[in-house]
Amino acid sequence: MTVDFFARHQAVLEEAVRAAASRAYWTPFPESPSPRNYGETANEEGRRAFEAVLGTDFPLDLPGATRMPGDEASPFGLDLNVAYPRLSPEQAVGAAARALAEWRRAGPQTWVGVSLEILHRLNRASFELAYAVQHTSGQGFMMAFQAGGPHAQDRGLEAVAYAWKEMAGIPQQARWEKPQGKQEPLRMEKQYTIVPRGVALVIGCSTFPTWNSYPGLFASLATGNTVIVKPHPTAILPLAITVRIAREVLAEAGVDPDVVQLAVHAVGDDTAQVLATHPEVRIVDFTGGKANGEWVEQHARQAQVYTEKSGVNAVIVDSADDVKAVARNLAFSLTLYSGQMCTAPQNIYVPRDGIRTARGHVGFDEVAGEIAAALENLTADAAKAPELLGAIQSPATEARIEAAEELGLPVLAQSRPLVHSQFPKARIRTPLLLRAEAGHPAIQREWFGPVAFVVATDSTAHSIALAGAGARTHGALTLSAYTTDQAVAQAVRETAEQAGVSLSLNLTGGIFVNQSAAFSDFHGTGANPAANAALCDTAFVASRFRVVQTRWHV
Amino acid sequence: MTVDFFARHQAVLEEAVRAAASRAYWTPFPESPSPRNYGETANEEGRRAFEAVLGTDFPLDLPGATRMPGDEASPFGLDLNVAYPRLSPEQAVGAAARALAEWRRAGPQTWVGVSLEILHRLNRASFELAYAVQHTSGQGFMMAFQAGGPHAQDRGLEAVAYAWKEMAGIPQQARWEKPQGKQEPLRMEKQYTIVPRGVALVIGCSTFPTWNSYPGLFASLATGNTVIVKPHPTAILPLAITVRIAREVLAEAGVDPDVVQLAVHAVGDDTAQVLATHPEVRIVDFTGGKANGEWVEQHARQAQVYTEKSGVNAVIVDSADDVKAVARNLAFSLTLYSGQMCTAPQNIYVPRDGIRTARGHVGFDEVAGEIAAALENLTADAAKAPELLGAIQSPATEARIEAAEELGLPVLAQSRPLVHSQFPKARIRTPLLLRAEAGHPAIQREWFGPVAFVVATDSTAHSIALAGAGARTHGALTLSAYTTDQAVAQAVRETAEQAGVSLSLNLTGGIFVNQSAAFSDFHGTGANPAANAALCDTAFVASRFRVVQTRWHV
């Protein structure tokens, strides 16, 4: 049975390995929710599956679990009222440790085959996942479908592909013959066994519960570790569905389903800390805020720790052919999911003397005004805007808008509440755009959510220096620059390489700086404080397993 | 010039990559010091080079350094009286950080080409290095030549090969075309730049100053990092020679020689701690004792840390065809460099009811007696024995023999001082072999040096349990087992895989458990407390560099 899973998906696996090596466009999971891709009934079935669990006990059998009413409230205004089975940290780690010996012995083909089958079934459940992601994260439906479904599955598959490539590169056995001059050579037989590190923990976040969890989940699972998935207490459902599907596949493979477990907990308790520092937990994948991520990095000393935290993403505007095209692209990046993407720009550096464009010099105020106008334009249609904006995931993020307004900085675009036609209680706000001087302390910290600054600098050189220092000090997942000058582009690139941040140049078309494509774009670099790992590269998988060799004379 | 170095050694590099993938026997560096390999005059020139620095200032130009008289005293009785240039930690890190920008821009072919040329020249200096290793570590000359020269160079080359393979696997650019239905596809050009992590630190040890330092040194250098080499204060000379050669090559390559620096310091000061926790130091490779290694793991939070510490290596004796062959092999392992190898066995577990052999049942006392007799036999010739035993590196290790004697355990083989014909002041002792019960607390800790225990257990199952628990709790770099029973072999192997320790089965010929061959044997697993990394695998190199991408529309 387990060999079947590997054989069933081997062709896709090999394509995935090739795609990651070439970094050209590739995906086996269509991003369009079109019935042509997913069937005529998929959307309706997914919605019904989502609605069926509202107000009920989520159907997941975790032996020994107690019942915990969830704290999930949709940012669109729905109370989910789902109850989940709850394991104590000791129960979860104990079961994960017990499941480990059998899973270890199953070997790489089974680990990878099971992982691929889970991804395949997650893809078929993309609509159910989309509704669950929408009503926990607040993402608009299309984004919830794409980022929560196929794009997340891509990132999981990418991790499996890297894991497989590394494991397949280690021979199962070798004959070693050392010449001994005129005597017979010394001959040894050696066997190399891939062993997992142990119990792995995945700590999910509230804004991208699947996209940000799948790389770690699948990287650990595909390398033979048993995995405890700890969702954010306000975004449990998408990961509960994921774990339910994983356990179904494990059971079909004849393996203890406790290889993958869910560990829900109440807001504000210490479950994450207890799990992350448990002596049996040997791998932690964390996505979330800076303070919690740094806590894990500092305290989970017994584990390999992979973090994606947050940062202050910058845009450098030096010169452009068409300032309106720049503004449209930036406005979209600021609007998309209300700036709640870890890749969304925050500080837009523009020289206070203005910039060069194809139609001549354009002053700072005009550049800032164009961005503000593009923002207003994008969000003007109150019926359509919420799909792009999504809803604000947490009241804390909404409160941050008010805190930004209280900075007293000149307002370029106001944050307006919008009313969603379908979900009148949805927490929807347009982005707040402020003008700041380069020295203002507010731009030196992260304003997670729909808050951005157009920052007046002394010059492009000053902009570059600020962007570089910001990435080095506070971390950054993206850097964007607009310039028609090759020397400036080269200087920005040099700074990006020094600061370890990925650079997008002159995006004015259908690609936005916050977007990152699996198999092609490395998400994060691991080279600045925003993240200590990149999704996905060899470093992300290579330490999740070890090799134990046995040798003897022949 | 730098391209020449890469081209000059490209064929060897490609062979090294193939060897590491196949894990068959391979080396470009002959281990025999024969004149056929190294030339008629190499030994004499190497000795003269070694003798020429005794009592002088070591010729190494480190800008801004002060003069520090070294503390090195040969375990063979020679006072080296070499003075070295000394940099403060701030000076060393400052220069390493300054050298980084240019070295980063040089790119992978230069990093790898320079690394390979350094290894090539180290190989030509193998005799000079051998004398330096002998008179700092106390290794016998042949071992000092092999382990300090070609075998160390093999491990360095192995690290370069892994680094090259990983870096070469990342394309320099990609064309990304995302279909857009009936519209034109989105087209982007992407470039991927490999960037180093930053300043790397290598902390050397006193017993294998080159073998244990070269993997980290070359893994970091070949991935574009600048490297500070901090030798143990009692084993500076071999690494001073190494750094001198590295800087010669760097200068010829037109690169700032500060890409590789030496950071000597006095015994007992805090140089290692200050360097290891310096915010600019992003990689630390440590080899040495458990306490210092754990300190680095706990405190050097700003860096990727690779440690090889120590452990309690076990031997399980279950059954054998010929107990004398077992005893001869074990005695050699205990005698070689007086148990000062991190791979040397310490606890030999034998059921107190004895074992099965081809000639029938053999009692515990007879097994223990055979090992003791083989030890006495190996060390009986006072003229030859010192070549195998080497000298005791530190007075602390010699004192440990006395401490073991004071345990009051039955003595199976006494530790005798021997007088070296050429070096009458050499600190030479034969191994102490004691009998212990399985419950004795002494066997639960490391006795680094020539101290071993034959431990009486309830059964082979008990022996296996003790060996597994010891590896998991205290760490182990090797596990050896003797059995003619397939089921026992399988049980030992299962325990080895659980405990993450490499296993050698039934070694009775010309291979000993303490030996580990580059390109074939992984040294350490990274899966138990003895070491958090293996020499050498992908995980050892993949996190030493990062990828920064730049993308734009086409």
Side-chain angles (χ1 to χ4, degrees), chain A residues 31 104-105 166 178 190-192 297-298 301 493-494 503-505 520-522 549 551, chain B residues 31 104-105 178 190-192 297-298 301 493-494 503-505 520-522 549 551:
Chain A
E31 71 175 7
R104 170 171 60 74
R105 281 191 290 262
E166 279 317 301
K178 181 175 179 177
K190 305 187 182 188
Q191 293 192 358
Y192 305 91
E297 290 174 0
Q298 294 294 325
R301 311 310 322 284
R493 197 165 164 174
E494 172 73 18
L503 173 63
S504 295
L505 278 175
S520 184
D521 292 318
F522 292 107
Q549 68 177 54
R551 62 180 183 173
Chain B
E31 71 175 7
R104 171 171 59 75
R105 280 191 290 262
K178 182 176 181 178
K190 305 186 182 190
Q191 292 192 357
Y192 305 91
E297 289 174 0
Q298 294 294 326
R301 312 309 322 282
R493 198 164 162 173
E494 174 73 18
L503 173 63
S504 296
L505 278 175
S520 183
D521 292 318
F522 292 106
Q549 68 176 55
R551 62 181 183 174

Side-chain angles (χ1 to χ4, degrees), chain B residues 51-80:
Chain B
E51 288 172 351
V53 300
L54 301 183
T56 71
D57 285 10
F58 187 84
L60 183 69
D61 180 30
L62 294 175
T66 54
R67 182 177 180 278
M68 186 193 85
D71 258 322
E72 296 162 298
S74 167
F76 289 98
L78 237 58
D79 274 335
L80 305 194

Side-chain angles (χ1 to χ4, degrees), chain B residues 265-493:
Chain B
H265 68 102
V267 175
D269 77 8
D270 66 353
T271 298
Q273 290 90 328
V274 172
L275 283 171
T277 57
H278 194 289
E280 297 260 355
V281 170
R282 308 304 311 279
I283 302 173
V284 180
D285 285 271
F286 170 91
T287 319
K290 184 179 163 77
N292 288 338
E294 286 178 354
W295 191 95
V296 171
E297 289 174 0
Q298 294 294 326
H299 291 85
R301 312 309 322 282
Q302 82 296 347
Q304 290 276 322
V305 174
Y306 304 88
T307 58
E308 196 215 292
K309 295 168 290 184
S310 58
V312 178
N313 300 317
V315 179
I316 296 164
V317 183
D318 167 71
S319 50
D321 285 336
D322 175 4
V323 75
K324 282 186 193 294
V326 173
R328 275 196 303 271
N329 188 281
L330 286 178
F332 191 92
S333 281
L334 298 173
T335 304
L336 193 61
Y337 188 31
S338 299
Q340 296 171 104
M341 301 177 77
C342 51
T343 49
Q346 176 182 303
N347 293 348
I348 302 167
Y349 295 112
V350 181
R352 75 171 56 78
D353 294 339
I355 67 168
R356 277 178 296 103
T357 74
R359 63 173 175 88
H361 178 267
V362 172
F364 176 93
D365 289 341
E366 189 176 343
V367 174
E370 289 287 3
I371 300 168
L375 267 183
E376 304 281 359
N377 192 44
L378 256 182
T379 56
D381 184 336
K384 286 184 184 164
E387 176 61 26
L388 192 59
L389 285 163
I392 305 289
Q393 203 275 335
S394 92
T397 298
E398 193 168 32
R400 208 171 289 119
I401 304 172
E402 261 104 272
E405 286 166 345
E406 286 164 13
L407 290 169
L409 292 168
V411 175
L412 297 165
Q414 288 205 306
S415 175
R416 294 174 285 112
L418 295 182
V419 177
H420 196 291
S421 55
Q422 189 187 352
F423 301 108
K425 289 193 282 177
R427 198 157 44 219
I428 301 179
R429 299 284 298 259
T430 65
L432 175 69
L433 189 67
L434 300 171
R435 182 198 199 283
E437 285 298 316
H440 199 286
I443 67 165
Q444 291 297 323
R445 56 180 211 265
E446 188 192 23
W447 293 83
F448 185 78
V451 176
F453 304 87
V454 184
V455 181
T457 67
D458 298 343
S459 61
T460 289
H462 189 202
S463 300
I464 295 172
L466 287 168
R472 277 190 296 272
T473 310
H474 307 294
L477 285 162
T478 63
L479 173 63
S480 178
Y482 292 91
T483 182
T484 55
D485 182 330
Q486 279 302 311
V488 170
Q490 189 50 44
V492 175
R493 198 164 162 173

